[in-house]
């Protein structure tokens, strides 16, 4: 809290204290973060929460959320030290003013950042801002993003920001090909969730969770049969989890087809829905789906994730490959008739692989955060 001092107020500081405060003031950096996302998707808010947690290691945050609802913002986990801006113009010029007077960093959005005309225009303006930030020892930060498609002309703005930023890490390898070879790091969602040592034991996990997109065809009878067989083999109760509110209708269809329970989404608060999903996943042995962050959140609670959905198009495999869990997307896009059974020995091995991979991903994200902090400390 700031205190306004009158002219007659005495503040007794030793020379050392005064010098230390002066150094601290010079070291402090401002961080302006782009953190917009889909308002009905808890995956979009929670992954950015991991990003914001890391960026606070650098300095106070000014967060552009766009016209986000209070429900979405609840999932971001903003603190009293953060400021929120709904307007891009207001956020941008606040960052520009800061860049002209102090060490300032602009953190570009994590998550999926598609290439588009509107996006290219925004990235062009941000490239200018990043350039100004560098004059006072700041710059651009872009960690945990994925650029899933490209366009020879429009992608140039994305490349310009990536090449001029002081620290960049992508969440999938294809973004290195599309934009710039700057390395990868696990999705920020892996930084959240229950510590591996505290995961529930397999003996108390009696659920098979399904988390599916509602904008793709209803799975075939063969896929329903495979899921039902997996549940029967391991004595698991099928349960549908809704990560994105617009998937509710598909979830109801699946629940009827599988005689399954459902964790529906009937309110807007992201933090409440996330807690409900995590509670279910802590009781889940296996989760099958094509919602990337449904699988990641489940994985961070100890449920074995399988992106084995015939209509899926490669997104699951790209992101889990970064954390050395290639088998999560091994049968992504394959016909349901090609999906193999999973016996108890195989499931136990997958659990061991998962625990090791999640531990390693979290260590890597801790190292990424340390690198962010170190890079931002350079003058």
């Amino acid at each position: 809290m700031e205190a306004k001092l009158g002219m007659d107020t005495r503040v007794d500081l030793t020379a050392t204290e005064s010098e230390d405060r002066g150094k601290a003031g010079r070291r402090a950096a401002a961080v302006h973060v782009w953190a917009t996302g889909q308002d009905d998707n808890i995956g979009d808010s929670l992954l950015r929460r991991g990003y914001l947690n890391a960026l606070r290691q650098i300095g106070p945050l000014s967060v552009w959320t766009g016209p986000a609802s209070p429900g979405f913002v609840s999932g971001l986990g903003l603190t009293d030290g953060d400021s929120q801006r709904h307007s891009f113009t207001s956020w941008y010029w606040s960052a520009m003013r800061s860049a002209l007077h102090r060490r300032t960093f602009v953190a570009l959005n994590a998550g999926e950042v598609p290439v588009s005309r509107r996006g290219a225009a925004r990235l062009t303006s941000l490239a200018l801002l990043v350039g100004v930030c560098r004059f006072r020892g700041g710059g651009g930060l872009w960690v945990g993003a994925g650029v899933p498609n490209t366009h020879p002309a429009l992608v140039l703005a994305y490349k310009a920001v990536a090449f001029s930023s002081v620290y960049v890490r992508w969440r999938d390898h294809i973004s290195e090909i599309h934009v710039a070879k700057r390395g990868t790091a696990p999705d920020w969602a892996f930084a959240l969730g229950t510590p591996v040592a505290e995961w529930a034991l397999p003996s108390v996990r009696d659920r098979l969770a399904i988390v599916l997109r509602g904008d793709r065809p209803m799975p075939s009878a063969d896929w329903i049969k495979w899921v039902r067989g997996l549940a029967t083999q391991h004595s698991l109760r099928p349960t549908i989890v809704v990560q994105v509110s617009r998937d509710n209708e598909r979830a109801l269809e699946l629940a009827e087809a599988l005689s399954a329970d459902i964790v529906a989404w009937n309110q807007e608060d992201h933090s409440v829905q996330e807690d409900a999903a995590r509670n279910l996943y802590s009781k889940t042995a296996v989760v099958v789906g094509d919602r990337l962050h449904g699988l990641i959140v489940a994985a961070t609670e100890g449920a074995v994730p399988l992106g084995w959905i015939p209509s899926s198009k490669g997104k699951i495999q790209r992101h889990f490959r970064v954390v050395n869990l290639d088998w999560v997307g091994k049968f992504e896009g394959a016909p349901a008739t090609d999906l193999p059974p999973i016996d108890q020995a195989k499931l136990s091995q997958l659990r061991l692989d998962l625990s090791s991979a999640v531990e390693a991903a979290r260590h890597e994200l801790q190292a990424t955060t340390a690198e962010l902090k170190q890079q931002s400390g350079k003058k």
Side-chain angles (χ1 to χ4, degrees):
M1 180 180 295
E2 292 185 0
K4 294 185 178 180
L5 303 178
M7 293 182 64
D8 295 330
T9 304
R10 289 188 60 190
V11 181
D12 294 322
L13 295 175
T14 66
T16 300
E17 288 173 328
S18 180
E19 182 180 352
D20 286 346
R21 290 193 180 188
K23 288 180 179 178
R26 289 193 297 272
R27 284 197 300 269
V31 186
H32 294 256
V33 192
W34 166 12
T36 61
Q38 296 176 349
D39 210 68
D40 64 347
N41 185 346
I42 63 170
D44 273 22
S45 58
L46 68 87
L47 81 87
R48 288 166 177 85
R49 185 168 79 250
Y51 193 25
L52 298 180
N53 289 345
L55 292 169
R56 284 193 195 93
Q57 302 296 311
I58 302 171
L61 306 184
S62 171
V63 186
W64 172 46
T65 62
S69 69
F72 180 89
V73 175
S74 74
L76 293 178
L78 299 184
T79 69
D80 290 341
D82 302 330
S83 63
Q84 179 188 0
R85 291 182 182 268
H86 296 284
S87 164
F88 175 76
T89 301
S90 171
W91 173 83
Y92 183 91
W93 288 111
S94 173
M96 184 66 80
R97 288 191 297 271
S98 176
L100 293 172
H101 295 95
R102 64 187 295 194
R103 195 156 49 93
T104 299
F105 292 90
V106 174
L108 279 77
N109 213 357
E112 191 162 296
V113 184
V115 175
S116 66
R117 291 182 183 277
R118 184 176 182 181
R122 178 173 293 153
L123 269 290
T124 299
S125 69
L126 289 173
L128 172 62
L129 177 57
V130 166
V132 174
C133 288
R134 297 194 69 159
F135 280 111
R136 286 191 175 271
L141 307 170
W142 203 358
V143 185
V147 182
N149 51 55
T150 188
H151 183 286
L154 298 179
V155 79
L156 293 177
Y158 297 71
K159 290 177 179 285
V161 174
F163 280 115
S164 62
S165 292
V166 296
Y167 191 81
V168 178
R169 293 291 183 272
W170 307 111
R171 69 176 189 173
D172 62 5
H173 294 290
I174 198 169
S175 298
E176 289 197 283
I177 298 171
H178 287 166
V179 187
K181 287 192 174 295
R182 298 294 298 274
T184 61
D187 187 282
W188 285 108
F190 281 104
L192 308 176
T194 303
V196 171
E198 298 176 17
W199 283 355
L201 296 174
S203 59
V204 300
R205 294 178 178 270
D206 62 355
R207 301 292 180 130
L208 185 151
I210 301 102
V211 53
L212 285 188
R213 301 177 65 104
D215 57 356
R216 290 175 179 165
M218 178 72 173
S220 67
D222 286 332
W223 186 85
I224 296 290
K225 180 180 178 181
W226 176 78
V227 171
R228 188 178 287 118
L230 187 62
T232 300
Q233 183 179 5
H234 296 281
S235 302
L236 302 174
R237 173 69 178 167
T239 305
I240 317 300
V241 181
V242 181
Q243 174 194 309
V244 181
S245 64
R246 74 189 95 107
D247 295 341
N248 262 330
E249 185 175 344
R250 173 54 42 77
L252 291 170
E253 291 181 82
L254 281 169
E256 183 176 355
L258 285 164
S259 300
D261 298 332
I262 182 170
V263 178
W265 189 352
N266 300 313
Q267 42 71 44
E268 73 166 24
D269 194 302
H270 283 224
S271 63
V272 173
Q273 186 67 14
E274 181 185 341
D275 287 346
R278 288 190 184 279
N279 180 60
L280 188 282
Y281 290 141
S282 71
K283 304 170 186 175
T284 295
V286 181
V287 57
V288 186
D290 58 359
R291 278 293 182 192
L292 174 63
H293 287 95
L295 295 180
I296 293 177
V297 171
T300 62
E301 300 298 332
V304 172
L306 300 175
W308 298 1
I309 309 298
S311 61
S312 199
K313 304 180 186 302
K315 182 176 182 179
I316 305 302
Q317 187 175 53
R318 290 198 309 271
H319 292 85
F320 275 93
R321 180 171 290 161
V322 172
V323 296
N324 296 314
L325 287 174
D326 287 26
W327 48 263
V328 176
K330 182 177 181 180
F331 292 96
E332 182 181 11
T337 51
D338 290 351
L339 301 181
I342 300 175
D343 60 24
Q344 188 58 53
K346 181 63 174 178
L347 184 57
S348 296
Q349 184 59 56
L350 295 181
R351 286 195 192 105
L352 287 174
D353 293 346
L354 177 66
S355 61
S356 298
V358 171
E359 284 275 29
R362 287 171 171 169
H363 284 306
E364 188 173 351
L365 286 170
Q366 289 170 0
T368 298
T369 300
E371 289 174 1
L372 265 173
K373 188 175 181 181
Q374 180 183 39
Q375 185 66 50
S376 65
K378 294 180 180 178
K379 301 293 192 295

